[in-house]
Amino acid sequence: MSELFDAIDALVASRSPLPPPAERKRLRQAHGLTLEEVATTLDVRRATVGAWESGKTEPRPPQREPYAHLLKQLARLYPSPTTTEGGTPAILAATAPAAPPAPAEAEPSAPAAANASVPAPAAAPPSPAAAPRPALGSRRPGAPRAAAAHSPAPAGSGAYAHGPLLVLDADDEQQVTGYGTGGLLLDVPARSLPALVEWALSEARVGATKLHASGKDADPLLVLTAAACGRYGLPATLSDEERSAGRLPADHKAIKLLERAGWKLTRRGLGPWARIYRPVTGGRRQCVQLCIPSWNALDDRAWGHAAKLEPAELARVLGVYAHRVMTPVGSTAVSGLELMTALNPPTRASEPDQDGKRHSEHRPGSLGKEPVDPAPCEAIDGHPVLAHLPRFHIRGPQERLFEEAYDWARDLTDAECMQPHLVGIDVNLAFGAAANGAVVGLDAPPEHVTRPVFDPAVPGSWLVDLSHVDLSQVKVAKQWRDLEGGLLPSPFTPTGEQPEGPAWYATPTVAYAVELGYDVTPVEAWVRPRSGRFLDGWYKRLRDAYVATMADLGVAEKLSPGGFLEAMDGYKGRDPELGIVVDAVKMTVKGGIGKLQEKARGGGWVPGQAWPALARPTWRPDIRAAVISRARINMHRKMIALAAATGRYPVAVLSDCAVYTADGPSPLDVLPYDKDGKTVPGSFRLGVSPGMVKHEGTQDVLWGVGMLEQLGAEGRVANLARYIKTGEVTARDTGE
């Protein structure tokens, strides 16, 4: 009788239920298993398992039952969220045909046109931050597979159902898989670069809705791994010559293929970040962005080790950034600058004319679509407005606006040498906080005024003498206070040295001299009466991205000072991928402000001639100067408030980091907090929000004394704030 039951079990096992072929591959990849590993375990050939996953053949006894058991176990670990209510996988469900991406107004180099005919954007996909992290050590972590190539997408999922981007990777059999946000997997049928661009626009359903009603949708972003580059005829890495040029040569085979298919490249060509487009036809925008990490598209200064991540992990990192900031379109600096325009477009659709048509018109509050020349004092060396100056003329403070971040340090006093610790505190998103509320000139050229009356509400540049401001006698909270002026940097120069006579300053710097209780009498000024808070939306977007990602890492707002320091301890280790996003957001803020004054790059440029960046409305050195001025003034205001209340003075300041001596190693030994968690009004406060501070690092005072002696003997600038984090001098610190 037992033999009969065994025969029945064998008969049932020969028909063990199996998921569809595409689901079999998804489950294997989700656990990081290779075809070779599964084949070895089941004692079959590698090609046999591949045939099971492609649907060419079906497993037979005796392998069918253990194979079904394997898939059942994996399905428990990696359930598919694309399963329908009745239990049918979404890949098999009957659905509506894919809709083409929503049209936009213009090609990359063209001005934005009216948006009246643009359909309403689809709902944005959920944030990928909450997607489960791929298993550590997995070679090919994955998740639910969406509709296969040429298959319809889920009904009602919108034009961008598959998120803002895909990371493309090719396996040993040259099969290309697209890794999307939220663990999405897509089969990519395209066999050439032109076909890939066509597929991305017509079938992939990748992109993102516009950030402003008058803006344009984000183009699909395709991130190519080294293996995918090989599949599409691109080198895995650039040669030294190509790396120097920043792109492939114009006669490269891949570029020729694109040209024959009617595609164009922007001026930056086919490089680490490439934009491939066709001129707008019928009001439809056709443009795809490429990102190639193996060509150094993801600079480690901003993106850490992102370029070394597995495809699914990289898709998660870039997806979180795209969802919370924007779809990246270049370096974090480029993305930061583009975000300004995306949130504050230069044009909008007009009211209908007599024929019912709408036209593109200037949108109030924006910078407009035409570049504006700076005032001569605001222009950097080599700018066309300075072409009349002798070639080797060096402009001093009376000719040039020099608003930069702090780089100041002093010797320790005897009393400070007796304290055991040096504690560094760092302001969160200092330039972002300074951009918030900044009143800047908009779309009109500056107006020159002689003998003006200073008005702190008018943005501009002022030639004024601030050498009489005495930091030993200043107003703090509307009261005159006595301070040790020699222990504080001047708020008017990046070096912290007292100015020696008239110099050009941005409005916030002059306004701070008035706040400290001193009269100012400008000699002349370049002012911008048409002004507004152009950067407020930009700051809010980046602030929310930073705070939300920090919260995902366990560092929430409104923590007690001690709770905040505890939460910050090793916070990036809780999710290294989100740690990358935090750093990228910070670099987006800093780089975006820096791009407002982009200098000429590349050979062939001659001083006095224009360079490409000057054609942008966002080439605005005056806005950069105002933001940096506010950041430096904010720093000085907090240092004065702390000094007035506690008698503590910084020994070094570098941009947004200040170093103090203390009896203990914690910021709590520098910043006074009462039992209710309140500290000195107007001074530094511990917390995650922009403008608040975190612990930068602690070193021994003996280390600081030794560092000052070492760097001084080598002729280097001995700013302890530069080294307080690690205690070591690196090539990047010294600029080598």
Side-chain angles (χ1 to χ4, degrees):
M1 184 66 69
S2 61
E3 295 178 356
L4 182 58
F5 280 99
D6 291 340
I8 293 175
D9 290 340
L11 181 62
V12 173
S14 68
R15 298 294 186 271
S16 295
L18 296 170
E23 179 68 0
R24 302 169 196 174
K25 183 177 180 181
R26 181 193 75 81
L27 291 171
R28 174 180 61 78
Q29 291 181 339
H31 203 61
L33 299 175
T34 65
L35 288 171
E36 191 69 38
E37 289 172 327
V38 176
T40 301
T41 302
L42 297 176
D43 196 23
V44 294
R45 293 186 301 113
R46 180 179 182 275
T48 301
V49 179
W52 295 347
E53 292 183 352
S54 65
K56 293 179 180 178
T57 62
E58 286 294 306
R60 294 179 294 182
Q63 284 83 16
R64 185 180 181 98
E65 184 177 18
Y67 183 54
H69 180 70
L70 169 66
L71 296 176
K72 184 178 180 181
Q73 294 291 93
L74 293 176
R76 290 174 180 171
L77 293 173
Y78 309 99
S80 172
T82 56
T83 301
T84 63
E85 188 174 327
T88 305
I91 190 172
L92 302 178
T95 52
E105 308 82 48
E107 65 180 275
S109 57
N115 294 279
S117 62
V118 178
S127 169
R133 294 182 60 215
L136 293 176
S138 61
R139 186 184 71 85
R140 270 229 176 175
R145 178 173 296 279
H150 304 292
S151 299
S157 54
Y160 306 128
H162 295 152
L165 57 91
L166 290 174
V167 178
L168 306 187
D169 190 30
D171 58 21
D172 295 339
E173 299 173 356
Q174 293 297 293
Q175 297 294 322
V176 180
T177 300
Y179 294 76
T181 57
L184 180 83
L185 290 178
L186 284 175
D187 285 328
V188 181
R191 301 302 182 191
S192 67
L193 193 57
L196 177 64
V197 177
E198 294 276 8
W199 174 82
L201 291 171
S202 61
E203 298 180 50
R205 309 191 74 178
V206 174
T209 55
K210 52 196 174 185
L211 299 179
H212 189 280
S214 296
K216 57 189 178 185
D217 291 354
D219 301 317
L221 174 63
L222 302 180
V223 184
L224 274 59
T225 65
C229 285
R231 179 65 186 83
Y232 292 112
L234 300 173
T237 58
L238 296 178
S239 66
D240 292 341
E241 183 178 351
E242 293 165 346
R243 190 180 302 109
S244 177
R247 70 199 68 167
L248 292 180
D251 60 354
H252 192 277
K253 182 179 178 180
I255 297 178
K256 294 299 183 183
L257 284 174
L258 288 171
E259 291 174 347
R260 283 199 291 270
W263 294 103
K264 297 179 179 293
L265 291 163
T266 56
R267 183 159 29 196
R268 61 183 173 183
L270 187 49
W273 290 92
R275 183 173 290 176
I276 304 172
Y277 72 98
R278 279 177 178 155
V280 174
T281 55
R284 183 188 175 196
R285 178 183 174 89
Q286 299 181 76
C287 183
V288 172
Q289 298 272 350
L290 294 187
C291 167
I292 306 179
S294 60
W295 293 7
N296 200 32
L298 302 176
D299 186 349
D300 60 358
R301 289 173 294 183
W303 293 100
H305 64 283
K308 299 178 182 177
L309 293 175
E310 294 293 337
E313 296 167 336
L314 180 57
R316 179 173 181 248
V317 168
L318 296 177
V320 174
Y321 182 91
H323 177 79
R324 292 181 172 169
V325 180
M326 69 176 295
T327 304
V329 292
S331 67
T332 49
V334 171
S335 296
L337 192 71
E338 290 293 322
L339 181 63
M340 297 179 191
T341 302
L343 293 169
N344 210 329
T347 60
R348 67 181 180 185
S350 67
E351 293 297 323
D353 60 17
Q354 294 180 348
D355 297 327
K357 295 183 179 180
R358 297 179 184 268
H359 305 276
S360 176
E361 66 177 14
H362 172 69
R363 197 179 69 79
S366 73
L367 298 184
K369 61 182 182 180
E370 298 298 330
V372 175
D373 278 341
C377 63
E378 298 164 348
I380 60 177
D381 292 339
H383 193 282
V385 302
L386 304 175
H388 62 283
L389 294 177
R391 181 172 182 181
F392 298 104
H393 177 72
I394 299 177
R395 295 183 295 157
Q398 295 188 42
E399 297 178 276
R400 178 186 176 189
L401 177 70
F402 194 63
E403 295 282 10
E404 300 294 340
Y406 267 130
D407 189 350
W408 169 86
R410 63 172 174 82
D411 292 331
L412 277 64
T413 65
D414 292 343
E416 289 168 341
C417 287
M418 297 302 293
Q419 294 184 291
H421 300 286
L422 288 163
V423 180
I425 53 176
D426 181 79
V427 180
N428 302 318
L429 294 189
F431 293 133
N436 185 36
V439 179
V440 300
L442 294 177
D443 56 322
E447 301 175 6
H448 185 249
V449 184
T450 56
R451 300 292 176 184
V453 176
F454 176 69
D455 185 348
V458 177
S461 300
W462 310 78
L463 181 62
V464 59
D465 189 351
L466 299 180
S467 61
H468 63 290
V469 176
D470 183 4
L471 293 182
S472 64
Q473 286 282 325
V474 297
K475 277 186 178 180
V476 180
K478 299 183 179 180
Q479 294 182 351
W480 285 95
R481 303 292 294 269
D482 294 330
L483 297 174
E484 293 287 342
L487 300 182
L488 282 169
S490 168
F492 309 128
T493 63
T495 61
E497 301 295 328
Q498 188 73 4
E500 297 179 353
W504 285 99
Y505 302 100
T507 296
T509 302
V510 185
Y512 187 56
V514 176
E515 178 185 325
L516 294 177
Y518 292 87
D519 295 328
V520 296
T521 307
V523 178
E524 60 177 303
W526 290 89
V527 296
R528 293 175 167 82
R530 290 174 61 176
S531 59
R533 294 167 61 157
F534 171 73
L535 294 174
D536 277 10
W538 182 81
Y539 160 76
K540 185 179 184 302
R541 178 82 176 177
L542 291 165
R543 183 258 179 213
D544 291 348
Y546 177 77
V547 171
T549 309
M550 290 296 289
D552 290 338
L553 288 167
V555 186
E557 293 185 281
K558 298 182 180 179
L559 293 173
S560 66
F564 169 72
L565 292 175
E566 183 178 354
M568 286 292 292
D569 186 19
Y571 72 100
K572 289 184 181 179
R574 295 172 197 142
D575 192 329
E577 292 160 22
L578 291 184
I580 293 174
V581 177
V582 167
D583 288 341
V585 172
K586 291 191 290 187
M587 290 300 290
T588 301
V589 173
K590 187 176 294 186
I593 296 299
K595 274 283 184 179
L596 292 168
Q597 185 180 276
E598 183 178 355
K599 298 180 180 179
R601 296 181 298 172
W605 174 75
V606 177
Q609 293 183 351
W611 58 93
L614 301 187
R616 295 192 317 248
T618 49
W619 196 88
R620 292 291 300 272
D622 59 297
I623 296 180
R624 174 186 178 273
V627 172
I628 293 179
S629 167
R630 282 171 59 91
R632 195 180 66 247
I633 294 308
N634 288 345
M635 196 78 173
H636 196 271
R637 186 182 289 115
K638 295 174 189 296
M639 291 188 293
I640 277 190
L642 184 62
T646 68
R648 293 188 181 276
Y649 295 85
V651 300
V653 184
L654 182 67
S655 187
D656 48 11
C657 175
V659 177
Y660 287 84
T661 59
D663 292 325
S666 169
L668 294 175
D669 296 305
V670 175
L671 309 178
Y673 279 88
D674 60 23
K675 61 181 180 180
D676 297 324
K678 296 182 180 179
T679 187
V680 177
S683 184
F684 300 105
R685 288 194 301 147
L686 289 166
V688 72
S689 297
M692 300 177 77
V693 299
K694 60 182 179 295
H695 186 201
E696 179 70 1
T698 296
Q699 304 294 334
D700 295 336
V701 165
L702 291 178
W703 164 88
V705 173
M707 185 69 71
L708 293 175
E709 293 177 353
Q710 173 192 339
L711 295 175
E714 296 175 0
R716 299 180 185 177
V717 177
N719 190 326
L720 297 180
R722 181 174 280 107
Y723 318 111
I724 192 71
K725 187 171 187 176
T726 64
E728 299 177 354
V729 179
T730 65
R732 184 169 290 178
D733 291 328
T734 60
E736 296 176 0

